[in-house]
Amino acid sequence: MPDSASPRRILPLISHPGGRSRATCRFRCGDACFHEAPNTSENTYFGDIFSGVLSRRNALRAGAVGAGVSAVGVSGAFTPALADSWWHGKKGHGRGRSPRLRFHSVDANTDDAVTVPKHYDHRVVVRWGDPVTPDAPDFDFENQTAEAQEKQFGYNCDYVAFTEMGNRRGLLWVNHEYTNETLMFPGYTDGNEADLEQIKIAMAAHGGSIVELRRIWNSGAWRLVTWGWRYFNRRITVNTPMELSGPAAGDALLRTEADPDGVEVRGMLNNCAGGMTPWGTILTCEENFHQYFVGGEGAPEDAKPALSRYGVPTSGDTRSGNRRFDRVDERFDLSKHPNEANRFGYVVEVDPFNPHSKPRKRTMLGRFKHEGANVRLAKDRRVVVYMGDDERFDYIYKFVSDKKMRWGSRRTNEGLLDSGTLYVAKLTGNSPAEEFDGSGALPADGEFDGSGVWIPLCSDKESFVDGFTVAEVLVHTRLAADAVGATKMDRPEDMEASPVTGKVYCALTNNTARSPEQADEANPRANNKFGHILEIVEEGNDAAATDFGWSVPIVCGNPDDPSTYFAGYDKDKVVAISCPDNLTFDGDGNLWISTDGQPGTLDSNDALHAVPVEGKHRGEIKTFATVPQGAECCGPFITEDQKTVFIAPQHPGDGGSLDNPQSTWPDGKYYPRPSVVSIWHTRGRDVGHA
Ligand code: FEO
Ligand code: CA
Ligand code: CA
């Protein structure tokens, strides 16, 4: 094989209806979209429930504007400005009201490279195989071992979070969502044929990494620290002991032979996006955990409906999967350990500042295919976590704590996510159902919008769903949400609150299975290949509210396509966007949207876009960066000082193979390496400026 091969300027082999490469579908989510959507509940598509809520919706919006500029009573050690921004959204300065983004948009392209705007530069910060722990050996692609991988940076990078620690030092957290064994091991075919060391390497390449970075001079560029003690550096893998915490911990559903008390589980799986808490911990979210389990056909009959609702195969040949972790560790065989799957699918809280801390799976936040988890404080400082369940026709959730956050009180804050109430969203449109035929045409009132309610599923003490205990709600959350009539959405991905306005945004990435009859005002397009963005305004702009207003400001796609919508902005002045996935905000309240699926839907590599969501430029979407061939654009994370954007080009080269590389990024060798990149303005300006 060539040691250095030229990047092939070819488009990936696309066979997925949502626009990903065939390999991404196979390894990332176990071909979830090639199967029937697991939500077979009879929940209505709300389009047929017309309710006149216009006046109420307008009242909510007026309330939001009023609350958005009012003083906020958050006390404590934090500076008022920062505390205020947590109340409104997450971290951020809240310095403006979405000024125009002035950078020069990057053209759509299929280059095997990271491309950034004029006057910006970028640098690869850390790659798969780079040393994490001080005793990690150098990466040796041809001679990998599981022991080395346990100490080295893991594979596909998704969620990225960063905290500056002073003295030009910073701490980076990265999720390692999944592995693509065909690009990791020459000659790999599948998990049945793989040698056991390869399976162990893949297990060690999952999870997360914490690494120390050093700022390069005074720029927005960062580099990996590869010298010295590196106290915080840590790998978390499929083997790391974790605590099951919250109301479901200890329940019979979570007990196994290895853990008869149901309180400790080893590892986390398929960690996709995540969030940071105001008290400094990381929330990392288990998504497509279903694909790691075999033997579902041999699970007890009464366990099968719940397994199926989560996409775990329960009939036929369940052992022809990609990875066969069960060949190394029997607990992944459900015919022997049927409860093991119940111990995955959670939000995991990690303290990055204590390398000896035990990660906690927070059962109170429910079990589903968690995309991300982002925190906003309620007006009374209770903690609210917004979460999407990334599956076709699945739901949007939020958790509201019953205790209040106390700035600086570790004892109080470390228990906040174990008690409170878990809700699921039900949305109602304000235009007649007959105005939605799946074409994406705007209704007569000119807007996709309406009202919604957060339906309580359970508190830590009480279930609100007939026939479900608290533990059953928290372990079989999808089934509980089915029972209360939650709204079926087009794959809810990341949710983020604006640090300026407090409005909450949800990326609905795509859903090609939605039929014209199933189109509704919140999911207005049938065969939704390109996805859309949902905007939520909580009543009184209080994150703990149980009512909200909503609208769809962006319906993605090529602006030439009449089914697209960019908040009414001139379509001649916007770029194409498809399959929105991860979201973040800059300090001015502009929404940054990364994509996963543009190659198959727009003939362009995936990208990081940015768009103002307030003011006269609302909807003016631009492209800030594009990622290499076959990659999706993960991260993104904008640093507190607004000088750096971190992105994580995940699964570069996924449409190719080691014999026929589609991507040689970043090293120019025949194997691509998923990596994290920092991007900065070469003149030291805040990101977003020209
Ligand atoms: Fe791992 Fe929903 O993306
Ligand atoms: Ca409407
Ligand atoms: Ca994602």
Side-chain angles (χ1 to χ4, degrees):
M1 270 173 226
D3 192 42
S4 177
S6 300
R8 309 279 170 111
R9 296 292 192 269
I10 53 171
L11 281 170
L13 179 63
I14 300 298
S15 58
H16 186 285
R20 287 184 193 146
S21 83
R22 186 70 182 79
T24 306
C25 297
R26 174 186 170 199
F27 288 106
R28 200 255 291 284
C29 56
D31 287 330
C33 290
F34 287 96
H35 303 289
E36 289 296 308
N39 188 353
T40 56
S41 69
E42 294 182 350
N43 290 353
T44 50
Y45 298 88
F46 71 67
D48 54 357
I49 310 170
F50 172 63
S51 107
V53 290
L54 187 61
S55 58
R56 188 159 152 275
R57 183 249 313 176
N58 282 344
L60 285 178
R61 288 204 167 156
V65 172
V69 295
S70 68
V72 183
V74 178
S75 61
F78 257 53
T79 64
L82 193 55
D84 182 77
S85 70
W86 269 109
W87 177 77
H88 286 304
K90 54 186 279 279
K91 277 189 176 181
H93 296 296
R95 292 175 298 198
R97 296 282 296 182
S98 287
R100 188 173 193 178
L101 286 159
R102 294 189 180 277
F103 64 84
H104 301 279
S105 210
V106 168
D107 290 336
N109 66 75
T110 56
D111 296 342
D112 188 36
V114 170
T115 306
V116 298
K118 185 178 164 189
H119 301 313
Y120 286 80
D121 204 350
H122 75 282
R123 184 180 203 281
V124 173
V125 175
V126 54
R127 305 161 295 179
W128 168 48
D130 279 340
V132 173
T133 59
D135 59 341
D138 288 341
F139 183 59
D140 183 350
F141 180 77
E142 271 90 14
N143 297 290
Q144 299 176 59
T145 66
E147 186 186 359
Q149 180 64 82
E150 289 269 354
K151 301 171 180 176
Q152 295 166 333
F153 198 67
Y155 206 74
N156 278 329
C157 317
D158 200 299
Y159 177 65
V160 170
F162 178 80
T163 303
E164 195 162 356
M165 298 190 292
N167 199 23
R168 305 216 311 261
R169 295 163 66 219
L171 212 53
L172 185 78
W173 164 273
V174 182
N175 282 3
H176 301 300
E177 185 177 15
Y178 72 101
T179 44
N180 179 340
E181 282 80 347
T182 59
L183 294 180
M184 294 171 73
F185 310 121
Y188 184 91
T189 53
D190 61 31
N192 298 325
E193 304 290 330
D195 72 49
L196 297 185
E197 186 68 9
Q198 289 175 330
I199 295 175
K200 289 176 186 171
I201 293 166
M203 293 168 81
H206 279 68
S209 290
I210 299 168
V211 291
E212 188 178 329
L213 304 187
R214 181 66 59 96
R215 188 191 289 275
I216 299 176
W217 299 107
N218 289 319
S219 73
W222 291 83
R223 64 174 298 196
L224 180 69
V225 175
T226 54
W227 61 92
W229 187 23
R230 288 165 279 170
Y231 171 77
F232 299 107
N233 283 24
R234 181 180 188 185
R235 274 302 323 278
I236 290 171
T237 74
V238 176
N239 303 311
T240 305
M242 308 197 169
E243 179 185 331
L244 285 158
S245 78
D251 189 84
L253 287 167
L254 298 180
R255 294 178 205 152
T256 62
E257 195 178 305
D259 175 29
D261 296 329
V263 294
E264 184 183 271
V265 57
R266 274 192 294 126
M268 56 187 195
L269 289 171
N270 210 259
N271 289 66
C272 190
M276 289 175 78
T277 66
W279 53 95
T281 58
I282 301 294
L283 303 179
T284 172
C285 302
E286 295 183 296
E287 194 189 28
N288 289 295
F289 63 88
H290 66 289
Q291 62 182 305
Y292 297 88
F293 294 92
V294 303
E297 81 287 352
E301 287 304 313
D302 62 357
K304 288 184 177 178
L307 289 171
S308 295
R309 183 63 182 85
Y310 284 85
V312 179
T314 55
S315 62
D317 176 13
T318 61
R319 290 170 200 273
S320 59
N322 297 318
R323 296 200 179 83
R324 296 296 311 270
F325 283 4
D326 63 295
R327 292 181 57 213
V328 167
D329 193 338
E330 185 186 276
R331 66 191 168 114
F332 293 101
D333 184 341
L334 297 175
S335 69
K336 296 173 180 162
H337 305 283
N339 278 352
E340 189 66 14
N342 292 340
R343 294 145 62 86
F344 294 86
Y346 295 100
V347 173
V348 185
E349 185 171 11
V350 180
D351 181 354
F353 296 104
N354 181 357
H356 307 294
S357 59
K358 196 170 179 178
R360 289 176 169 142
K361 294 199 177 187
R362 299 291 189 183
T363 64
M364 188 66 238
L365 275 57
R367 174 173 167 267
F368 42 92
K369 292 184 183 177
H370 278 284
E371 172 70 23
N374 278 288
V375 173
R376 189 182 167 213
L377 292 182
K379 285 185 174 177
D380 61 5
R381 279 182 288 119
R382 282 180 294 160
V383 173
V384 180
V385 186
Y386 292 92
M387 302 172 285
D389 182 355
D390 181 6
E391 187 99 58
R392 294 164 297 161
F393 303 113
D394 259 294
Y395 309 131
I396 289 171
Y397 297 84
K398 81 170 178 183
F399 160 80
V400 181
S401 70
D402 63 357
K403 298 191 180 76
K404 298 174 183 178
M405 204 199 80
R406 290 181 64 193
W407 297 109
S409 173
R410 183 184 194 85
R411 235 175 102 187
T412 301
N413 299 338
E414 71 176 10
L416 286 172
L417 302 184
D418 282 342
S419 62
T421 304
L422 182 66
Y423 298 86
V424 69
K426 184 178 177 70
L427 289 76
T428 305
N430 65 14
S431 295
E434 54 270 24
E435 294 190 8
F436 303 98
D437 59 4
S439 69
L442 282 170
D445 71 357
E447 206 167 355
F448 303 115
D449 58 351
S451 65
V453 292
W454 293 105
I455 302 173
L457 296 173
C458 75
S459 72
D460 48 299
K461 299 177 185 68
E462 184 182 4
S463 168
F464 305 118
V465 184
D466 286 347
F468 285 74
T469 65
V470 168
E472 285 167 345
V473 170
L474 297 178
V475 176
H476 298 152
T477 309
R478 282 183 167 183
L479 291 137
D482 292 344
V484 300
T487 298
K488 295 176 171 178
M489 307 299 290
D490 285 350
R491 293 187 54 200
E493 299 254 25
D494 207 359
M495 299 186 73
E496 285 274 350
S498 163
V500 172
T501 66
K503 295 177 185 176
V504 179
Y505 295 80
C506 178
L508 296 152
T509 195
N510 60 57
N511 181 359
T512 52
R514 189 175 288 272
S515 68
E517 296 72 34
Q518 293 169 325
D520 58 35
E521 196 160 355
N523 302 279
R525 201 160 48 180
N527 186 26
N528 185 9
K529 287 191 288 187
F530 307 112
H532 54 285
I533 303 288
L534 181 75
E535 179 182 80
I536 290 172
V537 183
E538 299 276 23
E539 188 164 37
N541 204 16
D542 187 349
T546 53
D547 296 277
F548 60 92
W550 60 266
S551 67
V552 177
I554 295 175
V555 182
C556 301
N558 191 314
D560 294 341
D561 178 343
S563 74
T564 59
Y565 179 65
F566 298 89
Y569 203 79
D570 183 349
K571 286 191 181 182
D572 290 336
K573 296 177 180 169
V574 303
V575 301
I577 175 176
S578 179
C579 304
D581 190 342
N582 298 343
L583 305 177
T584 196
F585 279 90
D586 60 33
D588 291 326
N590 299 303
L591 178 62
W592 295 58
I593 307 168
S594 64
T595 67
D596 174 17
Q598 288 194 167
T601 51
L602 293 177
D603 291 341
S604 169
N605 287 357
D606 275 307
L608 174 61
H609 306 281
V611 60
V613 288
E614 298 292 331
K616 65 180 181 179
H617 292 284
R618 175 172 154 100
E620 186 188 14
I621 191 161
K622 292 182 162 190
T623 305
F624 183 76
T626 54
V627 293
Q629 281 229 349
E632 70 173 283
C633 183
C634 289
F637 188 93
I638 297 174
T639 53
E640 190 75 27
D641 66 2
Q642 308 293 303
K643 300 300 183 194
T644 309
V645 181
F646 287 105
I647 60 168
Q650 178 171 198
H651 56 77
D654 243 14
S657 66
L658 292 172
D659 293 326
N660 184 20
Q662 182 202 46
S663 173
T664 63
W665 186 85
D667 295 345
K669 298 191 174 177
Y670 67 93
Y671 49 88
R673 295 171 77 177
S675 305
V676 175
V677 168
S678 62
I679 305 173
W680 68 95
H681 195 289
T682 53
R683 295 174 187 170
R685 306 186 75 178
D686 288 0
V687 296
H689 286 261

